[in-house]
């Protein structure tokens, strides 16, 4: 049995903050103490550092086909980038294409991850087609540890489900303990606006945003919550971007409903103004929902500080400007939707949140790790530092400043939306199930070492 | 020129209440005064009575095919019943069936009314099919005085439009001054619930209500308001029944949006409990939305007293228990939806509203006449008593008690939901464009005397 | 009997808008018609003009001692100025000083008005001292037609009542049909802030605003509403200025409470920025509550357009810059609080409201005349143009542009906050109880012609 | 150094839940592990049990004079009762009487506790008199570890402060890191209602509730929050009882304000109906605020489940029915206000909350221990089980049923409001700073062993 002792750091969990030692035996945390007197194989001095639970990013799109191209990171480059950024688990999206069984969708993505993922990974399953006869397969997926399903209220003809199918899916998870993740935008309205914009020869990237109004997100958010309420089941809204949509979540939570939502760093640090960068630069930020007007981000921060938003994920869905984003040079609707973020999440949130005093250090851990672990059936295996938990640990230097740049990031895409941004706080050492996989800025892990996360269903 | 003088009554409008004389010349009110010294052809003593603007019912379904049968009142029996109840104008619903032009739908209903209507009538046009190429016809309809369109968010495959079509329709009315009336229930959710109930052999009338949850109405109400907000145009929610839906209207109005809604007497005076009447009696109340739990009505009254609800209409859509409602004896989903109300509206609202102190007398006039006239382009021709307005006038005895009963009502249906209810206040004399059409409980008008109301578009 | 015929104008009331003739006999409107065929003593051609109910300003302070000086207009100059501005009735504030009976307060102000007022006037009574033994006198005042009482939640030691007295006063009006008008600011908090500012040598006029935070108004507004709710009686909030306070009124109205509020033109047209005008100019705008940050006014306009605000009054309380405002040259807390507005209200509201499309013409009449008349027991004697009503009428030229300036205004104060503002729409002819008192810009009435308005108590 | 090993239990904190061993060295937790291999002086088998942080009750009134009598428990009987109920720290209320310095108030209570308290104790200081010259003493108190102050908005002439003093106190804590705890009821309104009830000879206990309307609590709650907002400082509302008041807290939290509130078991488990128990029994429940109508409790539970309420304290303020409550036999206003609860809190909340599925086990720990510890400057010394924390630990048997009864409880009062209530879950062993003070239902600690808790000021 291998023993590693992380000594003298400040251990931070969603609740605690104490100076202490953490003992790792093989893949697990076996003890924490004020001053453990243990003979370890390796001792790491963490004094002056934070010892944090590894980050969990529950919204990534690796190796995903989209609009005739494929997201630029596969499970190898994507998870190595994640590890550099302090993230030790992801939940990616497998897609059931129309006509496929759910299992086919899942297995397809299992194959993509197999032998490549450097950190542990689970899957949500995107359901694009739900005839009644497939409903029982939802139960089977939950039994396999694929306990969450993503549905779309947008992209008619491609990903969108009608309200009846959505409601049946929700009702099914009410029984089987699964969780529905919702892309909440009114796609039909957006389709009309896009068509109208193109007819009027409004083709620049900014029209991507101007044809996806915040009220269309608020509408779909409320609709999703209502359908879940009628079905008697929790709901999880993905990548919430607009203050108007947040209000609907707040209102639901005030009524006592189990409505959850995540936001992403792009909605906290960027804004509509980015679409007006010169030339075709705005394409970097073409994602759905789009970046919103300045002012929304303060409300999202408030939602994070309170408990109206429960997680910060990335929606990492990278496309290179060259050859990929360029597909939409003459028509914003052809720009592949998405942007990279898997590696920058923890650094951005620590700097913008903790350093700037918007959220506490405990809340930072909760939002990036504990809370998503609890919502998606990974806790307490993941999401905390406690006896018996997986030793997914980040040693974090709270004072170290560095600058985010595509030159130093490890993702396989030719830009970062945060180019040149200086942040305080740096991921120093990263453990994945007891093994050091990042040290001194070097990846010391192994592609393929990541394991599939068979997640637990909801119990309430 | 014929001159009639209504002398000594208490004239009530949405704002005023004064003792005075009203002079009618031919079809119009030509003067009002404290004591007019005019030589009239006829003088009617209204002392001790209220002199009110004739009622306007903007939600009726006369001679309407539904589920293999036809609503029991045609334009003759229906409008005569209306007149007895103090209503002097209706706006009925013409239907464009799938595949038809809008004009075809309208003309079809013009034919039904022609030569039969005893009071003036306009049409909303139900649009069930809106390919882009039909959009310009909406403008044409507005030009013809059919300035409002009803869309359905329920009844997929029959009446329901998808959100894209709804949004295009709203956008079109933003330009052409039309108004969208919305049946706001999430039909897809309801369809799932109905199917589920029938599978479980829940066939009694009450399941009609139990498969149409109030939250499904609130959802659609908010969605309709959001789509209108994005389109930049007012919206009018028809037959609002649930407190949850009202909250969405209130919220919108608090934000300053031009969101309007009507409710109907059935939602103010009846409740879910009626579905539990013995045997098949509950079928009398099968309508959509359904009657709600006790408690909702108090919130609707509050909405009427404030200005969150702007009108009380009837949704008069009568089907006889015999042969019609009976179609659903073994399956609630086959019961024709609708109930009679065209004749009882004014009496119920006066008694339950004014006599019981929930609304003022001015507000009673506003809700039953002035406000619908303003919203639907009939004011000041209709909806008030003022120089130049049509002489549609009701002389109302505020103290007279009487009992509502199918035995004495004039509609052509074999029951009233209000059987045996005693009310205070009685319509005594009714003028339609200067002619007395009801007097001493007798109809003195003429089928066919009613004229088509070419309504004005919105100006703001 | 004298007969005047106002011919061919467009008569506008809170509800109506029609072309018609108005017949005035002696002091009353006796008839209105499409084309009256009457032999009149005088006929005035109003074609192309609006014929409006005379304005009612329910918040003025004429001849009022304050901080060692007296408001610059007495009942003669003030009411003549009002008339020029289209206002034909005021409700001024009589003050019961500590130790006085209520009647003494009222009679004191009756004397001030007597023989001076050029238009009709009523009184609210400011109660500054309410031992239990004076409570019955509130009933006596209501019986005298002084049916409303103003209480202060600010100015401890001078005007402020404690919550117990306020609650007793509210409870008394629940019985006697009176109405409580509330100055809603938390005076204790303000007093602390003022003291703190002066200690820090912050003496400029702007500190008047900075020491009266909007939240202190919202707090007191909610408190007043709660106390009224417990007492079971309506409440009227005077000079509401802050969006935060409006929210509390909106919330109360959404709950169905009879909460009313007025705002004033200064809060619609001016803002905090005015306090930063050079030198001592900011003193012009020193009033309580103070002008608020830009942005509040749009919410107030929305409150007026909906029905969350029911009246626009002026809080006319004029002090000359010279010798009066100057008292606070070195200490903002010594600047007499108040500004002139009695003459500019109707012009400003028509221009900013109707011309700019924020409120309808009917709503303009409602806010400036009908609604205050109804709330304060003057309707239908005042507040409308209907048979039997007092002939207080304004003939208004909707297209005429003119510029507001102290040079042309008639109030007795050396500035106007609206100097140089061009407005569209002009008061042309003004009737007070059937007599023309303003014509072609000249006052043709008589000081002393105004009568005391014995107002009616609430009936609900 | 003494070592105790708690072996094999399920450790529960606000976030965690894992099987593990807890090592206690002297007064502290020194290590936690999956299977610690330590030679301990004593080993306690906790398998099948929960190992919880000791409870913290931040609202008790021991040995407190009130209305001519004194609360029945002193620091000895009260803290021993607390220990039996699983509570290992209290924060009691010291009172500064009018005319005293703050320090005098504090020292007075230090003397009461000295040599008597069996568990650790801190003090909030009730400030009843705050001339400006005493403000600096607030800083001194914070420096002494008395970091919170309680103010009253009720009981004029005895405890109540005016809004100016409250605002000055809030402003001072904005600087010195103290926290204001507020008794939020509008005392002036209540005083009027009480006087009115007594005049009407309404003297029974239930009139205590009927003269303290929920809206008077909502009003004061909003006022307290507003004053804190203006002062820029957090606020903590004590013993929140009414849904209307909770709404104000929710609203504030939705706006992002640091508004906190506690409720107490009596508001969760009892209701107004208790006042109608026969004879003088209702006196048992006379406390302020009073018990509310059935229905409120479900909203409070919802507030606890979400995060609108942050703590459950007891307001333990026991008076015997005999001789004490009896003082108000003929006049409800003379009944000493308060009821016992210090010993029943944890059992009630576990049973009503966790067993009934209203809150999670983690949330139970958070509400009874972690969250009050964080808010009141005791964390991480108290409020969790983590390396370095005080070993205040409860071993809890989750399945054991028992019945609450005055016969078996240890408080010194002749009744419990929960007589005969069966609950599931039982406190078995209690550690206070490493020493077992309750074992097998016996108190094994020592009066006087409790230490004064010098609390830390807020840092944000």
């Amino acid at each position: 049995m291998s023993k590693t002792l992380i000594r003298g750091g400040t251990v931070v969990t969603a609740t605690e903050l104490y100076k202490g030692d953490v003992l790792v035996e093989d893949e697990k945390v076996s003890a924490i103490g004020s001053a453990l007197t243990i003979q370890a194989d390796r001792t790491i001095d963490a004094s002056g550092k934070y010892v944090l639970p590894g980050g969990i990013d529950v919204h990534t799109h690796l190796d995903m086909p989209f609009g005739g191209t494929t997201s630029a990171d596969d499970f190898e480059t994507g998870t190595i980038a994640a590890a550099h950024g302090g993230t030790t688990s992801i939940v990616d999206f497998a897609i059931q294409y129309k006509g496929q069984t759910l299992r086919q969708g899942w297995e397809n993505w299992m194959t993509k991850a197999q032998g490549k993922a450097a950190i542990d990974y689970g899957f949500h399953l995107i359901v694009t087609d739900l005839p009644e006869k497939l409903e029982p397969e939802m139960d089977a997926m939950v039994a396999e540890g694929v306990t969450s399903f993503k549905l779309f209220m947008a992209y008619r003809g491609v990903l969108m489900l009608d309200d009846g199918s959505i409601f049946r899916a929700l009702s099914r998870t009410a029984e089987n303990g699964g969780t529905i993740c919702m892309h909440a935008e009114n796609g039909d309205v957006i389709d009309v606006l896009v068509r109208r914009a193109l007819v009027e020869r409004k083709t620049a990237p900014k029209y991507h945003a101007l044809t996806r109004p915040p009220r269309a997100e608020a509408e779909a958010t409320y609709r999703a919550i209502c359908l879940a309420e009628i079905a008697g089941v929790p709901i999880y809204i993905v990548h919430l971007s607009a203050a108007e949509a947040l209000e609907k979540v707040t209102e639901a939570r005030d009524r006592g409903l189990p409505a959850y939502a995540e936001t992403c760093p792009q909605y906290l640090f960027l804004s509509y103004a980015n679409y007006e960068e010169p030339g075709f630069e705005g394409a970097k930020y073409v994602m759905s929902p789009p970046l919103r007007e300045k002012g929304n981000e303060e409300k999202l921060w408030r939602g994070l500080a309170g408990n109206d938003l429960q997680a910060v994920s990335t929606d990492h869905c990278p496309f290179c400007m060259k050859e990929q984003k360029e597909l939409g040079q003459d028509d914003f609707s052809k720009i592949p939707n998405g942007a990279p973020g898997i590696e920058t999440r923890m650094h951005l949130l620590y700097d913008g949140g903790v350093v700037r005093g918007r959220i506490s250090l405990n809340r930072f851990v909760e939002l990036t790790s504990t809370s998503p672990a609890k919502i998606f059936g990974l806790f307490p295996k993941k999401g905390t530092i406690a006896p018996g938990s997986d030793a997914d640990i980040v040693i974090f230097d709270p004072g170290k400043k560095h600058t985010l740049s595509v030159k130093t990031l490890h993702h396989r895409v030719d830009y970062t939306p945060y180019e040149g941004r200086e942040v305080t706080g740096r991921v120093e050492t990263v453990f994945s199930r007891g093994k050091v996989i990042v040290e001194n800025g070097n990846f010391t892990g192994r592609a393929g070492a990541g394991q599939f996360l068979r997640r637990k269903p909801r119990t309430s």
Side-chain angles (χ1 to χ4, degrees), chain A:
Chain A
M1 190 148 61
S2 134
K3 295 189 183 184
T4 306
L5 188 63
I6 303 169
R7 186 178 287 290
T10 298
V11 180
V12 186
T13 69
T15 296
E16 320 290 347
L17 191 152
Y18 56 87
K19 228 172 163 158
D21 303 340
V22 178
L23 179 65
V24 175
E25 295 190 75
D26 287 348
E27 300 196 334
K28 302 278 182 189
V29 170
S30 64
I32 48 179
S34 302
L36 295 177
T37 55
I38 305 276
Q39 198 64 27
D41 302 301
R42 183 180 177 189
T43 296
I44 296 178
D45 178 20
S47 57
K49 311 285 164 59
Y50 291 143
V51 179
L52 310 172
I56 301 176
D57 186 347
V58 294
H59 195 142
T60 65
H61 294 284
L62 301 179
D63 202 0
M64 186 187 74
F66 184 98
T69 183
T70 298
S71 64
D73 276 311
D74 63 11
F75 279 81
E76 180 169 341
T77 60
T79 56
I80 291 172
H84 280 282
T87 290
T88 53
S89 299
I90 60 170
V91 186
D92 200 87
F93 291 90
I95 306 179
Q96 170 234 20
Y97 291 108
K98 282 186 203 300
Q100 290 188 322
T101 62
L102 302 186
R103 184 171 295 270
Q104 284 170 327
W106 171 47
E107 287 180 346
N108 189 355
W109 254 260
M110 286 294 273
T111 308
K112 288 172 189 259
Q114 188 69 30
K116 292 194 145 182
I119 59 174
D120 292 352
Y121 56 94
F123 290 110
H124 312 283
L125 185 60
I126 294 175
V127 178
T128 69
D129 191 14
L130 188 65
E132 287 194 16
K133 67 169 194 284
L134 283 194
E135 286 185 35
E137 229 198 329
M138 292 181 74
D139 309 351
M141 286 296 99
V142 171
E144 294 280 16
V146 178
T147 59
S148 43
F149 304 89
K150 184 182 180 185
L151 310 182
F152 284 83
M153 301 170 93
Y155 306 109
R156 183 181 284 272
V158 188
L159 300 168
M160 178 169 157
L161 288 190
D162 62 275
D163 286 358
S165 299
I166 290 171
F167 181 62
R168 285 186 294 108
L170 283 161
S171 298
R172 196 82 194 189
T173 59
E175 308 274 299
N176 68 23
T179 295
I180 298 294
C181 302
M182 193 69 79
H183 179 121
E185 288 188 296
N186 188 310
D188 278 0
V189 167
I190 289 167
D191 289 349
V192 172
L193 291 171
V194 168
R195 217 153 47 234
R196 199 182 287 170
L198 292 176
V199 164
E200 297 170 3
R201 300 192 177 282
K202 295 171 170 167
T203 61
K206 72 174 175 181
Y207 291 105
H208 173 74
L210 296 174
T211 55
R212 305 185 87 91
R215 189 59 60 187
E217 187 185 355
E219 184 283 308
T221 299
Y222 181 67
R223 182 154 37 113
I225 291 170
C226 287
L227 269 54
E229 184 183 5
I230 299 172
V233 70
I235 181 103
Y236 182 89
I237 307 293
V238 298
H239 50 43
L240 188 145
S241 70
E244 288 90 338
L246 178 56
E247 268 175 34
K248 294 295 136 189
V249 176
T250 297
E251 199 182 289
R253 296 185 65 80
D254 286 351
R255 284 201 289 129
L257 295 179
Y260 305 107
E262 65 180 24
T263 190
C264 310
Q266 49 270 37
Y267 305 118
L268 297 167
F269 292 92
L270 307 172
S271 78
Y272 174 78
N274 290 95
Y275 291 115
E276 304 202 317
E277 291 178 8
F280 191 59
E281 292 298 285
K284 288 178 179 169
Y285 314 101
V286 168
M287 62 187 77
S288 297
L291 302 177
R292 303 298 186 184
E293 288 290 348
K294 204 87 190 107
N296 281 270
E297 79 289 353
E298 279 311 325
K299 290 179 180 159
L300 297 179
W301 278 113
R302 182 193 294 172
L304 291 169
N307 196 21
D308 291 332
L309 295 172
Q310 287 74 33
V312 175
S313 68
T314 64
D315 196 8
H316 180 76
C317 189
F319 296 100
C320 290
M321 285 296 281
K322 218 168 165 61
E323 286 174 18
Q324 297 195 304
K325 292 283 189 183
E326 277 174 359
L327 294 169
Q329 191 86 48
D330 303 320
D331 175 352
F332 70 85
S333 76
K334 299 218 163 63
I335 301 171
N337 278 212
I342 204 167
E343 192 171 352
T344 44
R345 179 179 70 125
M346 305 277 282
H347 286 127
L348 285 167
L349 200 70
Y350 180 81
D351 182 66
V354 181
V355 176
R356 313 245 168 141
R358 286 162 170 150
I359 56 173
S360 71
L361 188 53
N362 294 129
R363 185 67 181 151
F364 166 74
V365 170
E366 195 163 30
L367 289 167
T368 55
S369 181
T370 316
S371 167
K374 289 193 168 186
I375 292 172
F376 288 110
L378 291 170
F379 191 86
K381 178 179 167 65
K382 307 289 189 189
T384 192
I385 295 175
S389 293
D390 280 359
D392 288 4
I393 294 174
V394 169
I395 301 178
F396 189 87
D397 184 343
K400 184 77 143 293
K401 289 176 197 239
H402 57 116
T403 297
L404 303 177
S405 170
V406 71
K407 286 178 228 138
T408 48
L409 291 171
H410 303 79
H411 59 205
R412 197 166 62 186
V413 57
D414 60 4
Y415 76 97
T416 169
Y418 309 103
E419 187 65 40
R421 181 182 292 255
E422 195 192 62
V423 292
T424 296
R426 170 145 212 169
V427 168
E428 207 174 81
T429 308
V430 179
F431 290 75
S432 171
R433 271 180 292 104
K435 294 222 170 49
V436 172
I437 62 167
V438 171
E439 199 166 15
N440 301 324
N442 297 313
F443 176 66
T444 59
R446 179 174 61 81
Q451 294 180 353
F452 172 65
L453 292 166
R454 207 167 283 274
R455 295 180 288 122
K456 293 178 294 182
R458 276 183 304 103
T459 51
S460 69

